[in-house]
């Protein structure tokens, strides 16, 4: 309700009383009419004034002034757009079109002491005058005339707001213009709206305007946290902003502040004790400095929400500052062109706690302007846990399944391990802990790339494939695109019982929608098992006995993309998920810089700072620890003792114990376990062969996957488990797996060693074979090279550049050929 409308309502009641006595005193009726005429004349004058000088030309939209009518927009009030943390501490600000810094603030966001100081020092009659105070104007005019100088201005708070919204010259005409604008403001706005404008527009020195901006930049605190002394300081600052700046002239500022405190005491606003205590507080102010925290996130939000005066994020300014400093220091150890990024999220809420998009925002040599949290890069091995997790959920494997770290014979996709070596048979835990490539490709092939891609897309973290390509096995090793934001989103699901919720950097006062956007990736039991598989000993703590005997509190995984272009490390605790990327934003390879030596140490430093002693919940009821037997992969209690070659402990989910994965193209068509026929002497009977006398006996053999035979003890190989054939029985070709050559690939191009003293150097390699039956003979371009046992090694020498054909021939007459080309060295 405005001042003028209040006048008219009071006049209504007053005129009714006048009419009661009008019969006895006729002059009263005339007075009533005169008052009515004055009111009508004022309304008419204001209406004409509104048409000639519309207040809408300078006045913000009403919705920008009242919190009850919606959030203010930056463009409507001309505020600097402030991006703040969850506690409303500024991270970064963008000035308005005039280069001024204003942080939007409402009456409820300012300390009560400041409002008292402003009103009692600037305009005691603010709530009673119609925009200007005639007594103050007369007093100021008299004082100025007697002095011949400016002693006081006589401006009310409303008049000061009018001058800020519509500047005018310092002249009699300008002052009249200011008064008329003030009357217009009082006519159209409430006192609360006018005071809100004052709080936001009052000059505070230089390019700083408004109490919130001044409080943040001078005193490093919110206007709601101002003490009595600080309130008095900022209340008097607009009187002479340049002369009283506390950062430059603390003595002058303190003298002016004490003057305000004295007036508050004289008027009875504060008591003696508060007055004396406030005067003892020293004036200490920071040199105004615009913060640059989370600059890349702030830039992103500034572009997304250009109309918001204040963008409140979920970040913590203290954590953000610490991690930015950490990264700025660490990046100095890397060559020019390297950058890094950190993203930390709260698992319970999905809120981003820290967002460091580059290692040094102001360093162009390190591409500081490129946001590597959002950049699409190859994820390397970081998605392997979710391939295993989905396979565990689907019952394809268990945590101790026998997997193959062996070459992929007769397969279109033939990757290698990072170490360029093979381990043979490995369990799921070992394959994930050592980040082996061949086992995860085997599991993804059984799971299918399409199913993996669909699962990621369902939880809104899609795997971005190259244009025109379809989901394929290369996804297991980073053959596509991901960003750090999606990676942290995905990993946070391991702490949320398999539910993946989208991350947010925008603060929401209510978290009622916390779980409404969650989507299932895997079950709670599976997520616990995957997290437990990732809770491996930290490399920097492996010598600590307590660490070796207990699973560490952080589940972590590293990754390195092809060509050492991207180094990743992601860690999960029950509370936080931390993601780190290190590399060159321009995609230039950086040989030798991989995840375990670049990103992982940063990850552990962040964990030690934010969550040093995480504690995971107990094993879910749906998970049990069981003994598993290799090579069949079944429960030990369900496996015959002669078939249990190796026992492993496994976390079994919902009593699912799938057998060892088969690949008929590599293992042949033999059933497992394999039943063979024997005579009474224990000799093997091939198909169609009958014993000379006695009955037929049967024995079952547990077979290892054929590609793993070169890495297992000889006694477990198929040829060693098979008894010799009975006399008169023909060799059974079904008893052998396909013959393969190990050590050379068909079509491979070899490079001859560099010559010494103009003498060509021969190239010598060692090859072996798997599959087939019995001893095998080797031929190089038709010349016999030697004979080996199954799995035995054979040295082969290539003397001159040219084309070569290597042939292996087993006792069954099966042949395997490999054609290679030897090229001359570059020095020849």
């Amino acid at each position: 309700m405005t001042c003028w409308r209040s006048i008219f309502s009071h006049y209504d009641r007053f005129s009714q009383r006048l009419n009661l006595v009008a019969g006895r005193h006729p002059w009263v009726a005339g007075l009533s009419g005169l008052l009515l005429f004055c009111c009508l004349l004022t309304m008419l004058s204001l209406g004409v004034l509104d048409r000639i000088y519309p207040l809408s030309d300078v006045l913000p939209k009403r919705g920008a002034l009242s919190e009850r009518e919606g959030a203010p927009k930056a463009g409507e009030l001309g505020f600097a757009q402030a991006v703040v943390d969850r506690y409303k501490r500024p991270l970064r600000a963008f000035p308005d079109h005039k280069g001024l810094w204003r942080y939007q603030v409402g009456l409820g966001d300012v300390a009560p002491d400041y409002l008292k100081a402003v009103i009692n020092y600037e305009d005691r009659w603010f709530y009673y005058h119609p925009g200007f105070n005639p007594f103050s104007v007369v007093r100021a005019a008299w004082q100025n005339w007697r002095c011949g100088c400016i002693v006081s201005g006589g401006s009310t708070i409303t008049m000061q707001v009018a001058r800020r919204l519509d500047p005018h010259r310092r002249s009699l005409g300008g002052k009249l213009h200011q008064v008329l604008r003030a009357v217009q403001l009082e006519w159209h706005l409430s006192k609360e709206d006018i005071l809100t404008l004052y709080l936001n527009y009052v000059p505070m020195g230089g390019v700083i305007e408004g109490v919130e901006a001044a409080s943040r930049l001078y005193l490093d605190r919110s206007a709601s946290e101002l003490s009595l002394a600080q309130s008095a300081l900022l209340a008097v600052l607009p009187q002479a902003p340049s002369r009283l700046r506390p950062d430059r002239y603390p003595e002058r500022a303190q003298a002016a502040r004490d003057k305000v405190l004295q007036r508050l005491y004289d008027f009875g606003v504060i008591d003696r004790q508060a007055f004396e205590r406030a005067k003892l507080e020293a004036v200490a102010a920071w040199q105004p400095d615009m913060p640059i925290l989370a600059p890349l996130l702030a830039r992103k939000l500034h572009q997304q929400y250009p109309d918001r005066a204040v963008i409140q994020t979920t970040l913590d300014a203290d954590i953000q500052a610490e991690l930015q400093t950490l990264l700025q220091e660490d990046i100095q150890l890397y060559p020019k062109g390297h950058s890094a990024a950190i993203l930390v999220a709260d698992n319970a809420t999905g809120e981003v706690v820290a967002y460091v998009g580059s290692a040094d925002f102001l360093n162009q040599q390190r591409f500081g302007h490129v946001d590597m949290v959002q950049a699409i890069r190859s994820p390397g091995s970081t998605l392997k846990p979710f391939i295993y997790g989905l396979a565990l959920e689907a019952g394809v494997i268990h945590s101790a399944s026998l997997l193959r770290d062996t070459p992929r014979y007769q397969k279109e996709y033939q990757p290698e391990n990072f170490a360029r070596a093979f381990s043979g048979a490995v369990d799921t835990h070992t394959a994930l802990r050592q980040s082996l490539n061949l086992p995860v490709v085997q599991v993804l092939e059984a799971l299918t790339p399409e199913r993996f891609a669909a699962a990621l897309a369902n939880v809104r973290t899609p795997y971005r494939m190259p244009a025109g390509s379809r989901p394929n096995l290369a996804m297991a090793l980073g053959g596509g695109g991901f960003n750090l934001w999606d990676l942290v989103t995905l990993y946070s699901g391991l702490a949320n019982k398999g539910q993946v919720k989208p991350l947010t950097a925008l603060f929401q006062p209510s978290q009622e929608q916390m779980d409404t956007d969650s989507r299932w990736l895997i079950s709670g039991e599976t997520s616990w098992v995957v997290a437990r598989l990732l809770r491996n000993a930290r490399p920097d703590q492996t010598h600590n006995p307590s660490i070796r005997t207990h699973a560490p509190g952080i589940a972590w995984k590293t990754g390195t993309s092809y060509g050492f272009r991207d180094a990743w490390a992601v860690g999960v605790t029950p509370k936080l998920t931390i993601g780190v990327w290190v590399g060159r934003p321009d995609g230039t390879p950086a040989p030798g810089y991989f995840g375990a030596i670049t990103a992982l140490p940063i990850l552990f430093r962040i964990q030690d700072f934010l969550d040093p002693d995480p504690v995971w919940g107990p094993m879910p009821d749906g998970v049990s620890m069981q003994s598993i037997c290799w090579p069949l992969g079944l429960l030990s209690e369900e496996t015959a003792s002669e078939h249990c070659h190796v026992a492993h402990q496994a976390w079994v989910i919902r009593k699912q114990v799938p057998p060892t994965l088969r690949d008929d193209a590599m293992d042949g068509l033999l059933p497992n376990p394999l039943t063979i026929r024997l005579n009474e002497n224990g000799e093997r009977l091939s198909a169609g062969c009958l014993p000379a006398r006695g009955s037929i006996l049967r024995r079952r053999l547990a077979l290892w996957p054929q590609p793993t035979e070169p890495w297992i003890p000889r006694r477990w190989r198929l040829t060693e488990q098979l008894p010799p054939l009975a006399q008169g029985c023909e060799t059974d070709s079904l008893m052998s797996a396909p013959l393969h050559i190990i050590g050379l690939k068909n079509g491979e191009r070899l490079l001859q060693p560099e010559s010494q003293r103009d003498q060509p150097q021969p190239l010598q390699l060692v090859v072996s074979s798997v599959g087939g039956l019995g001893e095998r003979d080797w031929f190089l371009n038709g010349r016999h090279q030697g004979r080996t046992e199954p799995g035995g090694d054979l040295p082969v020498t290539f003397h001159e550049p040219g084309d070569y054909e290597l042939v292996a021939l087993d006792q069954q007459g099966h042949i395997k050929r490999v054609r290679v080309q030897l090229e001359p060295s570059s020095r020849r």
Side-chain angles (χ1 to χ4, degrees):
M1 186 173 179
T2 66
C3 175
W4 287 103
R5 289 167 185 163
S6 178
I7 290 174
F8 293 143
S9 65
H10 287 304
Y11 170 77
D12 230 11
R13 295 191 294 270
F14 181 61
S15 63
Q16 292 176 9
R17 294 183 181 181
L18 286 176
N19 289 333
L20 293 177
V21 297
R24 292 176 294 170
H25 303 283
W27 61 271
V28 175
L31 178 60
S32 177
L34 179 61
L35 289 175
L36 178 60
F37 173 77
C38 291
C39 290
L40 291 175
L41 181 62
T42 302
M43 293 177 63
L44 179 62
S45 301
L46 287 171
V48 173
L49 185 63
D50 281 348
R51 292 185 64 86
I52 298 175
Y53 300 107
L55 191 60
S56 59
D57 291 347
V58 297
L59 186 67
K61 295 180 182 178
R62 186 169 177 80
L65 301 175
S66 174
E67 297 179 359
R68 300 184 301 272
E69 300 182 29
K73 295 182 178 180
E76 293 173 345
L77 282 175
F79 290 116
Q81 187 182 62
V83 181
V84 301
D85 78 344
R86 65 185 306 107
Y87 305 110
K88 298 185 179 180
R89 296 174 294 186
L91 300 172
R92 189 183 180 190
F94 301 88
D96 70 358
H97 62 287
K98 295 181 180 180
L100 299 175
W101 297 91
R102 301 190 189 101
Y103 296 171
Q104 187 268 333
V105 68
L107 291 178
D109 301 322
V110 178
D113 284 338
Y114 177 76
L115 296 178
K116 293 177 184 178
V118 165
I119 292 175
N120 284 276
Y121 185 76
E122 290 284 354
D123 188 359
R124 290 183 64 198
W125 307 104
F126 171 70
Y127 285 104
Y128 307 101
H129 61 64
F132 67 97
N133 190 334
F135 301 102
S136 297
V137 173
V138 171
R139 185 202 67 235
W142 171 252
Q143 291 175 342
N144 296 344
W145 177 77
R146 289 189 60 187
C147 175
C149 61
I150 299 177
V151 177
S152 62
S155 294
T156 63
I157 287 178
T158 310
M159 291 172 65
Q160 294 182 52
V161 170
R163 186 172 66 246
R164 302 304 299 172
L165 294 178
D166 190 6
H168 59 80
R169 294 182 179 180
R170 287 184 172 271
S171 63
L172 184 60
K175 181 61 71 173
L176 178 60
H177 179 85
Q178 181 184 5
V179 170
L180 292 176
R181 281 298 194 196
V183 173
Q184 276 185 305
L185 286 172
E186 294 281 355
W187 174 258
H188 289 283
L189 302 180
S190 68
K191 290 291 187 179
E192 289 75 16
D193 288 342
I194 295 171
L195 189 55
T196 299
L197 283 171
Y198 178 84
L199 298 180
N200 286 282
Y201 276 79
V202 62
M204 290 291 189
V207 295
I208 303 172
E209 292 191 357
V211 63
E212 183 69 19
S215 183
R216 291 290 185 184
L217 296 175
Y218 288 132
L219 306 175
D220 192 29
R221 64 179 58 201
S222 168
S224 63
E225 301 171 335
L226 292 173
S227 67
L228 175 59
Q230 292 169 334
S231 296
L233 173 66
L234 296 187
V236 76
L237 185 57
Q239 293 288 324
S242 299
R243 193 175 67 85
L244 298 179
R245 278 184 55 164
D247 60 315
R248 296 179 180 176
Y249 313 107
E251 296 84 2
R252 295 179 191 172
Q254 182 165 341
R257 179 206 67 182
D258 291 346
K259 181 180 177 182
V260 176
L261 291 173
Q262 184 68 51
R263 182 170 297 186
L264 293 177
Y265 173 67
D266 292 341
F267 290 159
V269 178
I270 59 176
D271 58 25
R272 185 74 185 181
Q273 183 179 3
F275 171 63
E276 296 293 346
R277 187 169 54 247
K279 285 185 63 177
L280 292 175
E281 187 174 320
V283 171
W286 299 88
Q287 185 72 25
D289 188 18
M290 307 308 166
I292 306 181
L293 293 176
L296 293 172
L297 174 63
R299 183 184 68 186
K300 179 173 179 286
L301 296 176
H302 172 66
Q303 294 169 349
Q304 288 181 343
Y305 306 100
D307 291 336
R308 290 194 184 182
V310 176
I311 302 176
Q312 187 175 4
T313 70
T314 59
L315 273 59
D316 185 309
D318 293 334
I319 295 175
Q320 180 70 28
E322 186 72 23
L323 298 191
Q324 283 187 199
T325 301
L326 181 154
L327 217 50
Q328 286 177 354
E329 294 174 350
D330 279 12
I331 203 63
Q332 304 306 317
L333 302 175
Y334 297 87
K336 294 180 180 179
H338 275 70
S339 187
I342 297 171
L343 186 68
V344 182
D346 185 290
N347 295 327
T349 62
E351 295 178 340
V352 174
V353 176
Y355 187 115
V356 186
S358 64
D360 190 346
F361 177 66
L362 300 178
N363 191 332
Q364 295 304 312
Q365 291 183 331
R366 296 193 181 277
F367 305 94
H369 62 286
V370 180
D371 188 350
M372 297 311 299
V373 171
Q374 302 296 333
I376 305 300
R377 311 287 289 198
S378 167
S381 299
T382 55
L383 296 180
K384 288 178 179 177
F386 302 99
I387 295 175
Y388 288 119
L390 289 168
L392 287 166
E393 185 72 22
V396 176
I397 59 173
H398 51 69
S399 70
S401 284
L402 192 165
L403 304 178
R404 306 167 190 176
D405 184 30
T406 63
R408 290 170 52 83
Y409 307 116
Q410 298 180 343
K411 296 287 186 177
E412 182 177 348
Y413 184 55
Q414 298 184 352
E416 294 181 337
N417 285 322
F418 185 80
R420 299 182 179 275
F422 304 99
S423 303
V426 295
D427 63 280
T428 305
H429 191 183
T430 300
L432 183 55
R433 183 179 70 250
Q434 298 182 3
S435 197
L436 301 175
N437 291 341
L438 281 305
V440 75
V441 171
Q442 177 196 4
V443 173
L444 181 58
E445 190 171 38
L447 182 68
T448 75
E450 291 79 10
R451 185 171 181 177
F452 178 53
L456 295 184
N458 179 61
V459 295
R460 292 166 294 215
T461 57
Y463 203 131
R464 299 164 180 87
M465 303 300 297
S469 64
R470 299 170 60 86
N472 54 65
L473 296 179
M475 296 171 70
L477 308 180
F482 231 69
N483 61 24
L484 189 58
W485 182 278
D486 287 345
L487 204 57
V488 170
T489 302
L490 201 57
Y491 269 84
S492 66
L494 297 179
N496 290 324
K497 299 182 179 181
Q499 294 187 73
V500 178
K501 64 182 64 178
L503 300 185
T504 179
L506 287 176
F507 182 79
Q508 300 291 337
S510 173
Q511 292 298 330
E512 295 177 356
Q513 74 287 0
M514 184 182 299
D515 296 323
T516 58
D517 292 334
S518 299
R519 295 187 181 180
W520 288 100
L521 178 68
I522 50 180
S523 67
E525 294 86 354
T526 302
S527 64
W528 185 92
V529 171
V530 174
R532 183 61 185 80
L533 294 176
L534 293 174
R535 289 166 58 196
N536 299 304
R538 286 174 42 166
D540 58 343
Q541 296 180 346
T542 53
H543 299 292
N544 187 332
S546 64
I547 297 297
R548 292 200 305 267
T549 56
H550 298 87
I554 185 170
W556 57 274
K557 182 71 182 73
T558 62
T560 306
S561 67
Y562 178 77
F564 300 93
R565 290 173 171 83
D566 307 276
W568 305 86
V570 188
V572 183
T573 70
K575 179 182 176 183
L576 300 173
T577 298
I578 307 166
V580 180
W581 173 91
V582 179
R584 289 183 57 105
D586 62 357
T588 302
Y593 292 94
F594 49 90
I597 67 170
T598 58
L600 191 60
I602 298 175
L603 170 68
F604 290 147
R605 287 179 62 187
I606 297 171
Q607 185 228 331
D608 291 339
F609 171 58
L610 296 179
D611 194 9
D613 298 305
V615 178
W616 290 81
M619 185 168 64
D621 293 338
V623 179
S624 59
M625 179 69 75
Q626 300 285 344
S627 177
I628 303 296
C629 279
W630 281 8
L632 300 181
L634 301 177
L635 291 173
S636 297
E637 59 191 36
E638 299 176 358
T639 305
S641 59
E642 65 271 17
H643 295 163
C644 190
H645 299 171
V646 179
H648 286 269
Q649 294 297 310
W651 288 287
V652 174
I653 300 170
R654 297 184 292 274
K655 300 182 180 181
Q656 296 183 103
V657 187
T660 299
L661 281 175
R662 288 183 57 87
D663 187 337
D664 292 339
M666 301 175 70
D667 297 329
L669 301 176
L670 297 179
N672 195 17
L674 173 67
T675 301
I676 59 175
R677 300 162 63 243
L678 305 173
N679 60 21
E680 291 181 343
N681 297 327
E683 298 171 323
R684 179 165 56 88
L685 301 172
S686 58
C689 185
L690 297 176
R693 63 180 184 280
S695 59
I696 298 176
L697 306 178
R698 285 177 171 78
R699 181 191 300 175
R700 304 181 74 194
L701 305 178
L703 306 182
W704 289 73
Q706 182 266 332
T708 66
E709 287 203 345
W711 289 272
I712 63 176
R714 181 178 294 273
R715 66 183 183 277
W716 293 337
R717 299 175 184 176
L718 175 61
T719 54
E720 295 298 323
Q721 291 194 71
L722 288 175
L725 277 171
Q727 187 175 4
C729 291
E730 296 182 356
T731 301
D732 193 342
S733 60
L734 291 179
M735 290 295 100
S736 64
L739 178 64
H740 294 289
I741 295 175
I742 299 176
L744 286 175
K745 297 179 181 179
N746 193 46
E748 192 169 13
R749 299 170 65 182
L750 308 175
L751 184 64
Q752 189 178 26
E754 293 184 353
S755 303
Q756 296 181 1
R757 298 180 181 180
D758 296 327
Q759 296 296 323
Q761 298 297 310
L763 174 66
Q764 190 174 62
L765 299 175
V766 176
V767 297
S768 61
S769 63
V770 294
L773 188 64
E775 297 179 337
R776 61 270 342 254
D777 290 287
W778 295 86
F779 301 87
L780 184 64
N781 285 352
R783 295 184 178 181
H784 190 260
Q785 303 294 307
R787 177 176 294 177
T788 63
E789 296 288 335
D793 295 334
L794 175 77
V796 179
T797 303
F798 302 87
H799 293 279
E800 295 290 338
D803 296 330
Y804 290 86
E805 182 183 62
L806 180 67
V807 176
L809 174 67
D810 72 358
Q811 290 182 353
Q812 295 177 320
H814 294 155
I815 294 177
K816 184 64 179 180
R817 292 184 172 88
V818 171
R819 292 181 175 87
V820 297
Q821 183 180 26
L822 180 65
E823 297 181 350
S825 67
S826 58
R827 292 180 56 183
R828 289 193 63 185

